[in-house]
Structure formats: C-alpha cells, structure tokens
C-alpha cells in the first residue's frame, strides 16, 4: 500500500487532482497496486483562511508519505512549492516534453527531457526590495551543479538517450555560470558514451523552436529550466499535457507544469492529463513501471482516438469526460 500525500491547492488544482485520484483508484481496482490518499492543505485559499500558505502538517505529511502529488497553487507558489522543493531537497526537476499522437503540436517530432536544477540559482529567494529598486541574488554552487548534471547523464544512460545539452549564460553571468559549466564538463568526462554539448540560453530558446529534434536531454539551472520547459510545453500542444517531477534522493513530488488557471477554474473544463501524466511519473519513480505504462497508454489511446477533447485541445468536453475516457481505456 502506497501512502500518497495529495495537495490539490487552488483553482483547477482541485479539479485535476480529483480526476487523477479517481483514475488511480480505478487503476488499483484493476491491478495489484493499492493507495492510501492523504489530503493536505496549501495555497492561496488556505492562506486567506489561516494566514499560512504552507502549514507544518503539510510538510510533515509529504515527508511521511511514499510520494506526493501536487496539483497547483496560485499567487502563493513562491511560499509553497519552492520551499517544499528546497526543504525536502528535491534537487532534480524533470520536465518531459513529448509530442503526443493526435495532438496538433507545433513540433510533432519533439521528445526532450529537461532536467532543471531545483534548489538554487535565482530562486534561492535571497534579496531585498527597496522603494525604487530590488535585488535577487543568483547562487550557483559546484556541488548542486555536479549533482544535477550527474542526474541528467544517469537519466540519459538509463533511458537510452544519446545527448546531453548544458544550457547556460556564462558569457554574461560569468561568476555563476562558469561554476555550472566547470561541473558539467567534469561530469561529462565520466560519460564518454553520451554526446555532450553546450548552448547559450538565448540561442537555445530559438533552436528549440527551429530544430527541436536536435535536443535530447537538456540540463540547466533553475530559472532557465523553468522558462525553457514552458516553451517546450507550447511546442507540444500546451500546458494541459505537461507533467513534471521534483525528485530527491528518497522523496519526490509530482506536479503538472501548469498553475491554478484562474481564468477557467470552477468551470469543469480543465484538462486533467498533465496531472494524470504526473502520476504516471510517480508510479514510474515508485518502481511500478508496468502500471505506469498501462496508465500512460490509456491516456495516449484517448488522445489518439481524438473523440474526447477539452477546450485547450480544441474540443468542448469537460474534465469529467476526459477522466471517464481514460478510465475506460485502462
Ligand atoms: P497561476 O497564477 O496559478 O500560475 P496562470 O493562469 O498565470 O495561473 P497557468 O495556470 O499555468 O498560469 O495557465 C496559463 C494558461 O494556460 C491559462 O490560460 C490557463 O487557462 C491555461 N491552462 C493551464 N493549465 C490548463 C489545463 N490543465 N487545462 C486547460 N487549460 C490550462
């Protein structure tokens, strides 16, 4: 029995989480898997009610679970998911970008894994705000860089990927990104079987649009990874389809890349696939490879059939319809 901490959060977070739990429950009815879902509070609504965006019980709940599924929070993201990642030392943020069958992707050949450093960089939240100016400090350490780059190369090796591209801005941010590049070059020497290349962030952003097929695994610092993964989400058909994992040595939180989408919250039209595919990543991380594949295939079959589409995919179906269709395909 897996103890799964769930954090539905705000806006469409609640809707996509309840869809995902329903799908996982159906999956457990059909397999040997069994789950205990324990719901924890966090986010804007909780802060309005209690003054606290991330209660201690939630952090403890995640710490005591086998894995955590997190849906989305609104304006309090910086008080919730960023501290959770840092406190639990979930240093690797995995953000896959894969074009799916039946989806009108800008780039149908895309299959990239973005490995983003998740604990430092400019998201370290060190700085200050004065009346007419502000400062955010960017911290890059050799230790965290080496750890994330090794993760990326190991990922490449274990998943038969051929190339790792390190993305940086060392020509301008030389104090910090030269540390990152020293680490990437040192680690790359240990993986002669994998092609290693370097790209400057701005050029990389353009090449991702022009020639995404030239990318395989991308490893980069915190903010660059955040931006590039939204760009690749756009290339494959939108935020409704992109899952992610925040992974440490023995804890992990899985979450859709999208936020709380206040513009569509409460309408029952959010696409639950990003959250459901995040649970696929969770099952995979828990070692339940076959059941992860089974659930992923159920999602892919619905996309391939193309009958059920939420508005973000050009249709008029509801979250509930998509959930039911995936369950039917399990
Ligand atoms: P937040 O402030 O919580 O980040 P946001 O609206 O600024 O919210 P996202 O939630 O990431 O950012 O949404 C960006 C856009 O993508 C919105 O127009 C939203 O409706 C759309 N979107 C995001 N997720 C989904 C989804 N699962 N299904 C359908 N549309 C989505």
């Amino acid at each position: 029995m897996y103890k799964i901490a769930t954090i539905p959060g705000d806006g469409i977070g609640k809707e996509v989480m309840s869809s995902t739990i329903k799908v996982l429950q159906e999956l457990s009815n059909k397999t040997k898997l069994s789950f205990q879902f324990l719901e924890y509070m966090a986010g804007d609504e909780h802060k309005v009610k209690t003054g606290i965006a991330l209660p201690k019980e939630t952090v403890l709940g995640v710490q005591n679970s086998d894995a955590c599924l997190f849906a989305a929070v609104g304006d309090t993201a910086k008080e919730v998911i960023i501290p959770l990642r840092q406190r639990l030392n979930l240093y690797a943020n995995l953000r896959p970008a894969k074009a799916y069958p039946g989806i009108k992707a800008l780039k149908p050949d895309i299959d990239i894994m973005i490995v983003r450093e998740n604990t430092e960089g400019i998201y370290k939240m060190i700085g200050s705000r004065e009346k007419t100016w502000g400062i955010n400090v960017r911290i890059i350490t050799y230790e965290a860089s080496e750890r994330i780059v090794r993760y990326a190369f190991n990922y490449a090796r274990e998943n038969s990927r051929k190339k790792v591209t390190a993305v940086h801005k060392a020509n301008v941010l030389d104090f910090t990104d030269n540390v990152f590049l020293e680490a990437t070059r040192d680690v790359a020497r240990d993986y002669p079987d994998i092609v290693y290349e370097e790209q400057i962030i701005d050029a990389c952003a353009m090449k991702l649009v022009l020639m995404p097929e030239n990318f395989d695994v991308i490893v980069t610092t915190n903010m660059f990874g955040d931006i590039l993964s939204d760009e690749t989400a756009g290339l494959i058909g939108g935020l409704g389809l992109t899952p992610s994992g925040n992974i440490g040595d023995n804890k992990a939180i899985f979450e859709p890349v999208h936020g709380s989408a206040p513009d569509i919250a409460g309408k029952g039209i959010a696409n639950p696939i990003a959250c459901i595919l995040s649970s696929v990543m969770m099952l995979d991380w828990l070692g339940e490879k076959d059941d992860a594949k089974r659930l992923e295939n159920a999602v892919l079959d619905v996309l391939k059939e193309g009958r059920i589409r939420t508005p973000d995919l050009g249709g008029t179906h509801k979250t509930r319809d998509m959930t039911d269709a995936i369950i039917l395909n399990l």
Side-chain angles (χ1 to χ4, degrees), residues 211-233:
M211 296 164 285
E213 62 282 0
N214 286 354
F215 292 88
D216 199 347
V217 174
I218 289 177
V219 64
T220 189
T221 50
N222 208 335
M223 188 172 74
F224 295 161
D226 197 9
I227 298 170
L228 288 184
S229 55
D230 264 32
E231 181 184 354
T232 51

Side-chain angles (χ1 to χ4, degrees), residues 9-312:
D10 300 310
I12 64 165
K14 293 192 186 65
E15 301 165 45
V16 298
M17 181 63 83
S18 87
S19 157
T20 304
I21 290 176
K22 203 167 156 197
V23 169
L24 288 175
Q25 268 159 347
E26 287 296 333
L27 182 69
S28 73
N29 289 342
K30 294 184 161 57
T31 61
K32 289 200 186 104
L33 284 176
S34 100
F35 302 108
Q36 182 188 15
F37 295 104
L38 299 159
E39 185 177 308
Y40 294 97
M41 298 297 138
D44 298 9
E45 261 183 45
H46 193 71
K47 189 173 179 181
V48 170
K49 276 193 218 139
T50 64
I52 296 168
L54 179 63
K56 269 199 215 106
E57 305 81 72
T58 299
V59 181
L60 268 176
V62 177
Q63 265 163 345
N64 293 331
S65 65
D66 294 310
C68 171
L69 264 179
F70 176 96
V73 296
D75 294 339
T76 50
K78 140 175 150 203
E79 295 163 64
V80 177
I81 188 68
I82 293 176
L84 270 174
R85 288 171 183 157
Q86 291 181 359
R87 273 190 230 169
L88 301 176
N89 206 14
L90 308 179
Y91 57 85
N93 188 196
L94 287 192
R95 294 190 161 192
K98 193 153 78 172
Y100 294 108
I103 294 296
K104 259 203 211 129
L106 276 173
K107 292 288 173 181
D109 296 331
I110 241 181
D111 184 5
I112 300 170
M113 178 57 85
I114 296 183
V115 180
R116 164 194 177 196
E117 205 292 323
N118 220 12
T119 61
E120 59 176 28
I122 205 155
Y123 289 5
K124 195 78 187 167
M125 318 299 283
I126 296 174
S128 68
R129 169 68 207 266
E130 303 301 327
K131 191 161 172 41
T132 55
W133 58 275
I135 186 165
N136 274 103
V137 179
R138 184 172 196 256
I139 296 179
I140 301 287
T141 63
Y142 184 91
E143 189 193 6
S145 302
E146 204 231 345
R147 183 174 63 175
I148 195 66
V149 177
R150 205 164 281 289
Y151 190 99
F153 273 95
N154 284 337
Y155 177 89
R157 217 176 236 176
E158 282 157 21
N159 292 277
S160 313
R161 301 269 188 167
K162 307 265 175 303
K163 178 158 79 175
V164 171
T165 304
V167 178
H168 65 94
K169 186 74 183 174
N171 51 333
V172 178
L173 303 175
D174 51 349
F175 294 134
T176 46
D177 268 355
N178 277 330
V179 176
F180 178 68
L181 281 184
E182 275 164 29
T184 60
R185 288 169 193 165
D186 286 349
V187 173
R189 274 194 286 278
D190 294 340
Y191 297 82
D193 48 319
I194 293 170
V195 178
Y196 168 69
E197 68 170 28
E198 294 170 4
Q199 283 197 19
I200 294 176
I201 176 71
D202 35 346
C204 174
M206 180 192 66
K207 286 184 193 160
L208 271 171
V209 174
L210 296 179
M211 296 164 285
E213 62 282 0
N214 286 354
F215 292 88
D216 199 347
V217 174
I218 289 177
V219 64
T220 189
T221 50
N222 208 335
M223 188 172 74
F224 295 161
D226 197 9
I227 298 170
L228 288 184
S229 55
D230 264 32
E231 181 184 354
T232 51
L235 295 176
I236 63 141
L239 284 171
L241 298 174
T242 34
S244 77
N246 301 281
I247 298 171
D249 285 333
N250 46 34
K251 287 278 155 236
I253 298 179
F254 298 86
E255 55 164 335
V257 171
H258 64 73
S260 65
D263 54 337
I264 58 164
K267 295 185 180 159
I269 56 168
N271 188 347
I273 288 182
C275 195
I276 294 171
L277 288 176
S278 303
S279 78
V280 168
M281 290 180 78
M282 178 183 80
L283 292 177
D284 198 64
W285 181 79
L286 286 168
E288 302 295 347
K289 308 268 175 209
D290 291 345
D291 291 324
K293 204 78 221 131
R294 180 173 180 158
L295 178 50
E296 186 182 24
N297 285 340
V299 173
L300 296 188
D301 285 347
V302 173
L303 291 176
K304 237 183 282 172
E305 285 162 18
R307 258 184 336 101
I308 306 291
R309 293 204 183 288
T310 42
D312 58 304

